[in-house]
Structure formats: C-alpha cells, structure tokens
Amino acid sequence: MAVSPNEHYVTTIDKDNEPTCWGCGLHLVLPSYTPTFKCGWCGAITSLNLQKHESKWFKWRRLRDRCFVCVLFGFMGFVICGGVWTVHPVVFSISYFCGIFHLVITICLSVSTLSMFRLAAFHCPGASPLVLWGSYPLVGKGDLENYTFCHYCSKPKSPRTHHCRSCGMCVLDMDHHCPFIGNCVGAANHRYFILFLISAVVSTIYVAIMSVTAGLHIWSPLSIRSHAPANVVGTDLAMRFVKEIIIALLNSALLMSSRGLLLVYLFVSSISVNLGLSVLLWQQLFYIYEGKTYLSHLNSQGGDGADQKDCQNILRFFGCPYSVSRYLPVVRDSEKRHTK
C-alpha cells in the first residue's frame, strides 16, 4: 500500500532523555541517558550526576590558613628584628658608611618582602568573569563555550576557573591553594606571589651572607693544637685534624654570647628557607614559561591558551606585552648608493 506524502509519524520521547541546559534553558533531546553533555547552542557543559557536597571542615581550613599567615608574619618579623640587633652593630663597628649602606638594603628588602606577602595573602585571587546565563533570548550562540556550572557558588564557571573549597569561591586561572599565605594563587595575585618568592629568596641570601660576615668578627678564635705525632700520616692525619676543628668549634660555641647563637640560627634558618623557596620559585617560573598553571599542568591544559614554550610568556606575565627585541637597536644592512 502506498504511503501518502502528507502522512506524519509521531513518536514519544522519554523525559529522562530530554534534559535542560543550565546555560540557555533549552531542552535537549539525547539518544540515551547521558550524565554529561554539551549544549549545541550556547556550548555549556552540563553534568547531571554532579551534586553539591558541603564541607564541614571549611571553617577549620580558614582558621588553619590564618594561623599559618600569623606564624609566617611573626617569623619574618623575628628574622628582620633579630638580624638588625645582631648584624648591624658589628657592621657599624667596621665602617659608618658600610652600616648605613646595609641598613638601607635591609629596609628595602624588608618592605618589599612584607608588602608582596600582604598583597599575595589578602588580595582577591581572581573571580570568575560574570556572564549572562539561564535564558535563551539572553544567551547567544557559543556565548558559554565549554562553561560548566559550579554547584557550590551557583553560577557559571569558565574553562580556566576552578573552585577552591578552602577559600569557598571560584578562582580564575587558579594555580594552587597555598596555606602559608592563607589564600589561593590565581590570576589577580599570582604576580604578587612570584614577586614575594623572588624578594624572599634574595632576602634569605642576604641574611645568610651577613650572618657569616658578622659571625667571623665576633666568633672567638679557635684553639687548635698545631703539633701532631710524627707517626701519624695520610688519612689518619686528616681525620685527626678534622676532629680537632670540630672540638674547637664546640668549645668556642660554649663560650659564645646570645648574639652569636642568634647568628647561627639566622644562618641555618635562612639557608633552609632559601632552598625550599628556590625550588618553588623555579617550579612556578617553569610553568609560566610553558604558559600553564600548576592545575592546568596536572590536567594537561594550557593556562592562557599558549601551548608553546616561550620566554614571551614570562614577559607577558610580568606585564610586558612586547618582545625584548623591541627595545633593542635594530641593525639593518643598508645598500650602498653610488651617486654619479
């Protein structure tokens, strides 16, 4: 029997296969149950199985972070005040000009380190950009490309945004949550965090050098027995000499004043802190060189869409959009002109 061209077939669609896009509010017809799907109009990604899980440890995390910040502020203040009390009297005894010079360096390093730490710790790490969503007339085609919905903040989340449960907010270009600054490292304070690391590394190197310099001036002379048995030669003589040096250092340390003991502590603490901060700084600069953040490195995604390794990524990060060659003189081979 022939089929009429005006004849239509009607089928029913299960409501479970017709979910709603959170971005534009349109109903989507899926061939089967799909927990995660992408809207063909606005480009938003919807996850049906994703549910909000409240963290009961949020307040304790915030309290922990603030305690870390207070302890770190106290440690930096102790190093600054202790260094001034122990080192600068010795430096001023050498030369008045030398004392003034090192005092200016100490003030500059202290102000830069504390100010960068304050900006990194208390500056907003960067909020997710505000976009229109929820209604079809307001959302155009592709306006929410690869956006997801944050069930904690109840608002759209861009592809470069991650939600931090410790801070309780979505952070743009989130690198990581640092408990020592009590804040996330994101697009708005990442530069301050790197400048704090650079200033802290330089400051710890300066503290170590000045601690050694002052220690050599106030350390009591070592009493080492210069004579050795004639039958002791080679390795035994070297081991005996090292043993004598160690014993002399211990005896000298027992007679050391409180200023000398504080110098030893400043040297050891500055070297240990410098090693940790140097590794962290190198890691951060390497990710910036690759155009990534720590989280995007874990997810194998480019942080700013820059997939290639280039020093321009570091220059752009510090606010210099142009290449270094732009500021260098351009040498061009000019053709020789002969006049008749």
Side-chain angles (χ1 to χ4, degrees):
M1 183 175 64
V3 180
S4 174
N6 296 329
E7 185 176 357
H8 301 279
Y9 292 94
V10 179
T11 183
T12 59
I13 299 177
D14 190 2
K15 292 183 178 180
D16 294 337
N17 295 337
E18 192 180 359
T20 303
C21 173
W22 63 265
C24 57
L26 297 178
H27 294 278
L28 305 178
V29 179
L30 302 177
S32 59
Y33 175 75
T34 306
T36 303
F37 58 89
K38 183 177 181 179
C39 179
W41 172 256
C42 65
I45 300 176
T46 303
S47 298
L48 299 178
N49 292 339
L50 188 61
Q51 298 179 357
K52 178 180 178 180
H53 299 281
E54 292 288 348
S55 177
K56 60 181 180 179
W57 305 108
F58 172 73
K59 294 182 179 180
W60 292 106
R61 290 174 181 171
R62 298 300 294 173
L63 180 61
R64 176 206 62 185
D65 292 344
R66 294 310 172 193
C67 290
F68 271 125
V69 171
C70 294
V71 170
L72 203 54
F73 257 123
F75 175 75
M76 289 188 292
F78 172 77
V79 171
I80 294 172
C81 297
V84 171
W85 180 72
T86 55
V87 174
H88 285 274
V90 180
V91 176
F92 272 97
S93 64
I94 299 174
S95 170
Y96 184 78
F97 173 77
C98 182
I100 294 296
F101 176 75
H102 286 287
L103 183 61
V104 172
I105 295 179
T106 302
I107 293 175
C108 293
L109 291 177
S110 302
V111 171
S112 62
T113 303
L114 292 175
S115 59
M116 290 300 107
F117 178 79
R118 184 186 64 84
L119 289 173
F122 300 104
H123 195 277
C124 178
S128 179
L130 298 177
V131 293
L132 297 176
W133 64 282
S135 178
Y136 164 70
L138 297 177
V139 181
K141 185 174 179 61
D143 288 349
L144 300 176
E145 188 68 25
N146 293 328
Y147 272 66
T148 56
F149 189 79
C150 180
H151 293 272
Y152 297 93
C153 301
S154 299
K155 63 180 182 180
K157 184 172 64 174
S158 66
R160 300 185 308 167
T161 304
H162 299 271
H163 182 85
C164 177
R165 296 187 181 182
S166 297
C167 294
M169 62 176 294
C170 290
V171 180
L172 180 63
D173 285 342
M174 178 178 173
D175 186 85
H176 68 286
H177 180 85
C178 181
F180 296 101
I181 65 173
N183 198 6
C184 281
V185 178
N189 66 341
H190 199 175
R191 188 183 306 172
Y192 300 138
F193 182 72
I194 297 298
L195 292 177
F196 163 69
L197 292 180
I198 295 175
S199 180
V201 168
V202 175
S203 299
T204 51
I205 294 175
Y206 175 75
V207 170
I209 294 175
M210 295 307 298
S211 298
V212 172
T213 303
L216 292 177
H217 284 81
I218 68 173
W219 198 286
S220 58
L222 302 181
S223 57
I224 303 176
R225 291 182 300 177
S226 57
H227 63 278
N231 56 351
V232 178
V233 293
T235 306
D236 295 336
L237 180 60
M239 294 298 297
R240 185 183 183 90
F241 184 71
V242 171
K243 182 179 178 180
E244 291 290 338
I245 292 178
I246 295 176
I247 295 176
L249 287 174
L250 293 178
N251 293 331
S252 179
L254 293 177
L255 302 176
M256 191 180 300
S257 62
S258 58
R259 180 175 278 109
L261 294 176
L262 185 56
L263 284 174
V264 174
Y265 172 77
L266 290 176
F267 175 77
V268 174
S269 61
S270 61
I271 291 297
S272 57
V273 171
N274 180 267
L275 292 176
L277 293 181
S278 299
V279 172
L280 180 59
L281 177 61
W282 177 86
Q283 182 191 53
Q284 289 289 310
L285 293 178
F286 178 75
Y287 290 147
I288 296 172
Y289 171 77
E290 289 187 332
K292 300 179 180 180
T293 62
Y294 176 70
L295 288 181
S296 64
H297 174 75
L298 295 179
N299 298 329
S300 298
Q301 298 176 357
D304 293 320
D307 296 329
Q308 59 180 359
K309 301 178 181 180
D310 191 4
C311 292
Q312 283 296 111
N313 296 329
I314 299 180
L315 295 177
R316 283 191 293 265
F317 175 82
F318 287 104
C320 183
Y322 304 109
S323 175
V324 179
S325 59
R326 179 186 178 95
Y327 304 99
L328 298 178
V330 180
V331 180
R332 298 180 180 178
D333 296 332
S334 59
E335 298 179 357
K336 296 182 179 180
R337 298 181 180 180
H338 301 277
T339 57
K340 295 181 180 180

